[in-house]
């Protein structure tokens, strides 16, 4: 899974990279609070007659810089096994808290991140800026559990694809929907992500499950977070 191989086509690159992890911190941590998390999951593929998610794994941590600002970093452990160092670094900013009197008014947050990939064998390097926007609603009596929806946007900086082809796709986007169960110190998360619904999933290496036609792929992810 070197960068040279990953960049075979824009569709394969897109679904492989942005399908590696769920949203990071939809809700910001309290100031001074720390958290470690892990995730498992990826795009759904057809394998031996079954539809299963690719079992990508990531490990990360976050820190509450302020009540409304959280910094985070993560490493993609599955990519590392294949000699590619893939790191995410970013911040999540909370713009608005949910309205406790009007439950239909959500909290709003956005994430700015840099996603980098370094081929440890060949030295190739790629960098993808990312901007996510999320809305979330607390629904439980104690205001802990919440549902969220949003969209992530990856930006392609390279002007050329592999084989000296022009890079025509500059913004790679993926809507998502998730749910988080939150206790005093633990969070458990599940997320459904619609990867690149405007990109063709035809004539590529991976047999993605085509749940909504010949565009994009669908990913499912599970995450767990411990707060300190």
């Amino acid at each position: 899974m070197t960068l040279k191989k990953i960049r075979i086509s824009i569709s394969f690159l897109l679904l492989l990279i942005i399908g590696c992890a769920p949203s990071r911190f939809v809700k910001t941590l309290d100031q001074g609070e720390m958290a470690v998390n892990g995730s498992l999951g990826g795009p759904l593929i057809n394998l031996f007659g079954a539809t299963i998610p690719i079992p990508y794994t990531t490990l990360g941590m976050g820190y509450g810089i302020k009540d409304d600002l959280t910094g985070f970093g993560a490493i993609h452990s599955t990519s590392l096994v294949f000699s590619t160092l893939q790191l995410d670094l970013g911040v999540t900013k909370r713009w608005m808290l949910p309205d406790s009197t009007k439950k239909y008014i959500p909290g709003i947050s956005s994430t700015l991140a840099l996603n980098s990939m370094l081929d440890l064998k060949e030295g190739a390097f790629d960098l993808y800026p990312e901007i996510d926007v999320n809305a979330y609603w607390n629904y439980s009596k104690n205001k802990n559990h919440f549902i969220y929806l949003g969209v992530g946007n990856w930006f392609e900086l390279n002007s050329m694809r592999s084989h000296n082809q022009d890079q025509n796709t500059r913004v790679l986007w993926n809507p998502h929907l998730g749910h988080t169960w939150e206790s005093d110190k633990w969070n458990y998360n599940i997320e459904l992500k619609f990867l690149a619904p405007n990109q063709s999933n035809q004539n590529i290496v991976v047999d993605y499950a085509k749940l909504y036609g010949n565009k994009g792929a669908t990913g499912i992810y599970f995450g767990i977070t411990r707060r300190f």
Side-chain angles (χ1 to χ4, degrees):
M1 196 185 295
T2 64
L3 290 179
K4 185 177 180 180
K5 292 179 180 178
I6 288 174
R7 295 187 66 82
I8 291 174
S9 70
I10 185 60
S11 297
F12 185 35
L13 166 71
L14 170 64
L15 300 183
L16 184 65
I17 295 179
I18 69 175
C20 287
S23 304
R24 296 301 178 191
F25 292 90
V26 173
K27 288 175 64 175
T28 55
L29 300 171
D30 294 335
Q31 183 172 355
E33 188 177 23
M34 296 185 65
V36 294
N37 57 36
S39 69
L40 172 67
L44 295 172
I45 61 172
N46 297 312
L47 185 66
F48 304 123
T51 300
I52 62 171
I54 299 176
Y56 291 131
T57 58
T58 68
L59 299 171
M61 64 179 302
Y63 177 75
I65 302 170
K66 298 192 295 184
D67 285 346
D68 62 352
L69 186 67
T70 293
F72 64 85
I75 184 170
H76 293 248
S77 41
T78 302
S79 296
L80 193 60
V81 172
F82 292 93
S83 301
T84 297
L85 178 62
Q86 186 174 349
L87 301 174
D88 304 342
L89 295 173
V91 292
T92 296
K93 169 68 176 178
R94 186 189 70 212
W95 300 102
M96 186 172 72
L97 285 168
D99 193 319
S100 59
T101 61
K102 299 177 181 178
K103 294 184 178 181
Y104 58 87
I105 297 180
I108 302 293
S109 67
S110 62
T111 296
L112 174 64
L114 292 175
N115 303 277
S116 62
M117 300 180 68
L118 173 65
D119 186 332
L120 298 177
K121 291 183 177 179
E122 301 181 9
F125 179 78
D126 270 315
L127 184 69
Y128 296 88
E130 177 186 2
I131 298 176
D132 291 8
V133 178
N134 286 290
Y136 62 93
W137 291 264
N138 295 318
Y139 68 87
S140 60
K141 186 177 181 181
N142 58 9
K143 303 299 181 183
N144 285 334
H145 311 321
F146 62 94
I147 59 174
Y148 63 91
L149 59 85
V151 61
N153 302 276
W154 284 54
F155 298 90
E156 172 63 73
L157 302 180
N158 292 291
S159 60
M160 301 293 292
R161 290 193 283 166
S162 58
H163 310 301
N164 294 318
Q165 299 179 53
D166 290 335
Q167 182 61 268
N168 297 319
T169 302
R170 291 294 187 166
V171 181
L172 316 174
W173 60 283
N174 53 292
H176 52 259
L177 171 68
H179 183 283
T180 297
W181 293 267
E182 183 176 317
S183 66
D184 289 340
K185 293 297 180 181
W186 294 90
N187 287 13
Y188 305 93
N189 174 255
I190 184 171
E191 181 175 303
L192 183 68
K193 183 178 291 187
F194 303 100
L195 300 162
N198 62 332
Q199 296 292 314
S200 173
N201 57 25
Q202 300 297 293
N203 301 316
I204 55 179
V205 177
V206 179
D207 184 16
Y208 290 105
K210 299 170 178 60
L211 301 185
Y212 48 95
N214 297 325
K215 300 288 186 178
T218 300
I220 187 168
Y221 310 82
F222 304 92
I224 184 170
T225 299
R226 175 65 163 90
R227 306 189 315 278
F228 301 90

